[in-house]
């Protein structure tokens, strides 16, 4: 009996050594036991949600303290006769609007090389098109990168046959419609980032994809990343799926005229390298891919409706989740949902991608991870409730990112702000109380709501986050 006990102990020791040998490179400063707990929690959350939401495939990566903490793939990249399992190292997913952060990085690299001044009129550098002089104040690269250029968000950006794609300079020629003076408010803009991509092409003299290949993907060892699939990598590309009428239906591949905003395809392992570069302030494997100054500019607030409301950074936007500040960007395309979050205070970054456009599963995965590292979030500030006349805030508001000048175009549903008798306002189904003249907070402390007024004291904008800007229309 004694010898049997010793054998079991020896076997356990051998198994532990094997686990440590294969897992130590992943764990950084987090102990092995914690990583296994996190993995088990994620396995449970992801598998149950994939089943209930009928999602074919998902992959994620967590980078912490300069190393890969954990990466995994679940489910399948394609269904039917050609079924394949998701592999975090080789499965290529579409990253959607996370592409905007790459275009931002490219333009900031040119600023590092003194080839563009971010605060000069972009018409100084543009060769292919010119921005109309609708307002006295010119549009600068800074306005493009913090989404405050004020362009209208026109429709008709996507086709399903690559041969139908319109060259960027041709597409943008008559589509830079200016709605508002630049630098006032950030309103999530595809056309601003598309113009930033054209700036990269006009200044560098090569296509945006060629520029990224040489100056971003190559130094970051992102060997599976591209805008255009080729024979080398097309077999690794996942099909997009949407759940319709009880089955997962394969979706057509989307091609964008505004490709600087939407077109990149990548693996989660490649995205892990991208995350590491930001967490190391522009450096990857000893090479400075972006200056420390501009890497910090991509991580710090650049423009917000109020200093205490989530802000746009360069390319990214702030979001608070589980009591932690994240510098993030989501991406949606037909058949795919993705999300990238940098958490500087934890020296950590996360990228998660799965099938189904607009899926909430990516946020469930993100919050599960953040809750693991910050299980008892506390409110940073305590606020006093003000008791003022709130009538000027009442009215109808509309999300600002839509086409204002298109005939019969889609418009977002209007949001009503109602003033209550207890010195609160109700919007988005919640009550908010005033803590500063133009700042409100909800009871749970999860949202800060800011307002902007004009010189006459009339409310003109509302926002509860960088990409959630609303115009007051009544």
């Amino acid at each position: 009996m004694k010898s049997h006990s010793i054998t079991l102990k020896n076997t356990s020791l051998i198994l532990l050594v094997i686990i440590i040998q294969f897992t130590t490179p992943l764990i950084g400063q987090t102990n092995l036991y914690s990583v296994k707990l996190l993995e088990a929690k994620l396995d449970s959350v992801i598998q149950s949600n994939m089943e209930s939401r009928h999602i074919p495939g998902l992959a994620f990566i967590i980078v912490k303290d300069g190393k890969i903490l954990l990466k995994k793939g679940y489910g399948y990249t394609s269904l039917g006769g050609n079924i394949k399992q998701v592999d975090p190292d080789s499965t290529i997913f579409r990253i959607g609007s996370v592409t905007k952060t790459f275009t931002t990085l490219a333009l900031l690299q040119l600023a590092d090389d003194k080839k563009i001044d971010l605060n000069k009129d972009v018409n100084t550098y543009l060769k292919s098109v010119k921005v109309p002089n609708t307002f006295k104040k010119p549009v600068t690269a800074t306005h493009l990168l913090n989404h405050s250029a004020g362009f209208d968000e026109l429709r008709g950006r996507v086709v399903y046959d690559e041969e139908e794609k319109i060259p960027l300079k041709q597409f943008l020629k008559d589509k830079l419609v200016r709605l508002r003076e630049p630098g006032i408010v950030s309103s999530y803009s595809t056309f601003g980032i598309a113009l930033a991509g054209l700036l990269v092409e006009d200044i560098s003299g090569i296509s945006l994809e060629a520029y990224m290949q040489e100056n971003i993907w190559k130094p970051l060892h992102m060997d599976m990343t591209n805008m255009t699939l080729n024979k080398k990598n097309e077999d690794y590309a996942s099909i997009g799926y949407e759940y319709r009428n009880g089955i997962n239906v394969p979706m057509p591949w989307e091609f964008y005229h505004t490709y600087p905003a939407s077109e990149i395809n990548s693996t989660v392992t490649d995205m892990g390298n991208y995350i590491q570069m930001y967490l190391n302030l522009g450096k990857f494997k000893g090479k400075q891919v972006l200056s420390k100054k501009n890497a910090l500019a991509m991580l710090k607030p650049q423009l917000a409706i109020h200093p205490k409301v989530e802000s746009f950074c360069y390319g990214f936007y702030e979001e608070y989740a589980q009591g932690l500040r994240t510098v993030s960007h989501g991406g949606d395309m037909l058949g795919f949902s993705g999300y990238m979050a940098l958490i500087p205070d934890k020296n950590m970054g996360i990228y998660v991608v799965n099938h189904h456009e607009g899926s909430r599963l990516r946020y469930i995965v993100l919050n599960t991870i953040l809750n693991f590292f910050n299980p008892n979030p506390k409110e940073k500030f305590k606020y006093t409730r003000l008791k003022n006349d709130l009538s000027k805030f009442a009215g109808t508001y509309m999300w600002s990112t839509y086409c204002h000048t298109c005939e019969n175009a889609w418009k977002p549903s209007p949001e009503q702000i109602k003033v209550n008798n207890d010195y609160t306002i109700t919007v988005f189904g919640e009550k908010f109380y005033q803590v500063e003249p133009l700042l409100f907070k909800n009871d749970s402390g999860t949202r800060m709501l800011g307002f902007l007024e004009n010189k006459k004291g009339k409310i003109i904008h509302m926002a509860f986050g960088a990409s959630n800007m609303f115009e007051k229309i009544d």
Side-chain angles (χ1 to χ4, degrees):
M1 191 72 177
K2 186 177 180 181
S3 61
H4 179 63
S5 176
I6 292 171
T7 303
L8 285 174
K9 287 180 180 179
N10 289 341
T11 302
S12 298
L13 180 61
I14 291 169
L15 287 172
L16 181 60
V17 169
I18 290 172
I19 290 170
I20 290 173
Q21 282 179 337
F22 284 94
T23 314
T24 298
L26 304 180
I27 64 176
Q29 296 176 13
T30 305
N31 65 58
L32 175 60
Y33 178 70
S34 294
V35 173
K36 288 299 178 185
L37 283 177
L38 175 59
E39 183 177 5
K41 179 68 173 175
L42 286 168
D43 283 347
S44 175
V45 168
I46 290 170
Q47 289 166 0
S48 63
N49 274 277
M50 285 179 66
E51 182 177 353
S52 65
R53 297 164 189 265
H54 310 285
I55 291 174
L58 177 147
F60 75 84
I61 189 166
I62 306 170
V63 175
K64 191 169 188 339
D65 302 321
K67 296 180 181 180
I68 296 172
L69 184 73
L70 190 61
K71 63 178 176 180
K72 288 192 83 168
Y74 301 79
Y76 303 97
T77 72
S78 58
L79 304 174
N82 193 31
I83 196 166
K84 296 178 183 177
Q85 290 188 321
V86 172
D87 184 329
D89 293 326
S90 61
T91 300
I92 295 172
F93 288 98
R94 312 211 72 184
I95 73 170
S97 288
V98 183
T99 298
K100 293 178 173 70
T101 68
F102 284 88
T103 300
T104 299
L105 170 59
L107 193 56
L108 289 175
Q109 285 180 328
L110 293 176
D112 284 341
D113 293 338
K114 309 297 183 186
K115 293 180 179 178
I116 184 172
D117 183 331
L118 298 179
N119 296 310
K120 278 191 176 181
D121 187 343
V122 293
N123 282 338
T124 306
Y125 307 97
L126 287 167
K127 300 172 184 176
S128 305
V129 302
K130 294 295 180 184
V131 176
N133 295 318
T134 310
F135 299 93
K136 289 182 180 180
K137 190 175 181 179
V139 171
T140 68
T142 292
H143 298 139
L144 303 180
L145 301 185
N146 65 24
H147 291 258
S148 69
F151 293 125
D152 200 3
E153 197 71 2
L154 277 63
R155 305 291 98 187
R157 298 182 291 110
V158 64
V159 292
Y160 302 98
D161 183 340
E162 190 171 12
E163 293 185 0
E164 294 179 5
K165 272 182 70 174
I166 300 171
L168 184 60
K169 61 183 179 182
Q170 182 181 333
F171 181 75
L172 291 181
K173 194 170 185 179
D174 60 351
K175 293 182 175 64
L176 297 175
V177 179
R178 300 179 66 182
L179 294 177
R180 64 184 74 87
E181 186 177 319
I184 305 299
V185 292
S186 291
S187 179
Y188 188 73
S189 172
T190 292
F191 281 82
I193 294 295
L195 187 62
L198 187 59
L199 268 173
V200 173
E201 293 188 339
D202 282 356
I203 293 170
S204 69
I206 57 177
S207 72
L208 182 61
E209 183 171 19
Y211 179 91
M212 288 185 179
Q213 177 63 45
E214 185 62 29
N215 297 282
I216 300 176
W217 303 332
K218 187 175 179 180
L220 292 180
H221 301 182
M222 298 178 71
D223 301 326
M224 300 293 287
T225 302
N226 54 71
M227 283 187 174
T228 308
L229 292 175
N230 54 41
K231 291 181 179 179
K232 176 184 175 183
N233 53 44
E234 62 184 5
D235 288 341
Y236 297 100
S238 176
I239 294 171
Y241 288 96
E242 299 293 346
Y243 192 70
R244 294 177 179 172
N245 299 319
I247 59 171
N248 272 296
V249 180
M251 293 291 107
W253 198 264
E254 290 183 316
F255 299 94
Y256 280 84
H257 307 310
T258 53
Y259 54 83
S262 309
E263 199 87 347
I264 291 176
N265 318 298
S266 190
T267 66
V268 296
T269 297
D270 275 10
M271 293 298 289
N273 292 352
Y274 187 54
I275 287 169
Q276 285 191 53
M277 180 271 295
Y278 284 113
L279 295 178
N280 204 28
L281 298 182
K283 187 180 288 187
F284 183 76
K285 294 190 180 298
K287 181 176 177 61
Q288 200 73 39
V289 179
L290 182 66
S291 69
K292 183 177 179 179
K293 172 188 173 184
N294 279 327
L296 284 168
M298 292 189 72
L299 301 178
K300 73 178 184 180
Q302 295 293 338
L303 184 62
I305 197 169
H306 188 283
K308 293 178 182 175
V309 174
E310 295 164 349
S311 170
F312 258 106
C313 308
Y314 280 163
F316 292 103
Y317 43 75
E318 289 184 308
E319 288 196 319
Y320 282 83
Q322 294 300 126
L324 293 169
R325 175 182 179 265
T326 75
V327 181
S328 308
H329 210 295
D332 286 274
M333 298 182 80
L334 191 59
F336 301 94
S337 292
Y339 195 81
M340 176 178 165
L342 305 168
I343 307 94
D345 288 348
K346 295 290 183 181
N347 196 22
M348 181 171 69
I350 301 160
Y351 180 68
V352 58
V353 62
N354 58 264
H355 293 113
H356 296 178
E357 184 174 11
S359 166
R360 301 297 301 176
L361 179 52
R362 53 190 159 171
Y363 304 118
I364 294 172
V365 173
L366 174 73
N367 285 330
T368 300
I369 297 168
L370 296 183
N371 182 62
F372 184 85
F373 287 96
N374 198 42
N376 299 301
K378 296 178 181 178
E379 285 193 55
K380 198 170 184 180
F381 303 104
K382 296 294 183 183
Y383 293 98
T384 301
R385 293 173 180 251
L386 302 182
K387 295 182 178 181
N388 296 324
D389 177 12
L390 304 180
S391 57
K392 70 176 182 180
F393 298 100
T396 304
Y397 296 76
M398 189 175 288
W399 187 48
S400 60
T401 304
Y402 71 96
C403 186
H404 295 65
T405 59
C406 301
E407 291 185 13
N408 303 316
W410 169 87
K411 288 185 178 182
S413 299
E415 298 287 345
Q416 299 291 332
I417 286 188
K418 176 188 173 185
V419 175
N420 306 307
N421 293 330
D422 59 353
Y423 300 101
T424 66
I425 59 173
T426 298
V427 64
F428 313 121
E430 290 186 88
K431 275 189 175 184
F432 290 77
Y433 61 89
Q434 191 179 36
V435 295
E436 292 182 20
L438 297 172
L439 185 69
F440 290 73
K441 176 183 173 294
N442 66 350
D443 285 326
S444 64
T446 56
R447 281 182 173 178
M448 300 297 292
L449 191 63
F451 292 85
L452 183 68
E453 60 185 8
N454 62 18
K455 293 179 180 178
K456 295 180 180 180
K458 181 181 178 181
I459 299 298
I460 53 175
H461 289 285
M462 167 189 75
F464 62 91
S467 59
N468 294 297
M469 181 65 63
F470 291 74
E471 303 164 332
K472 193 170 190 292
I473 59 175
D474 181 29

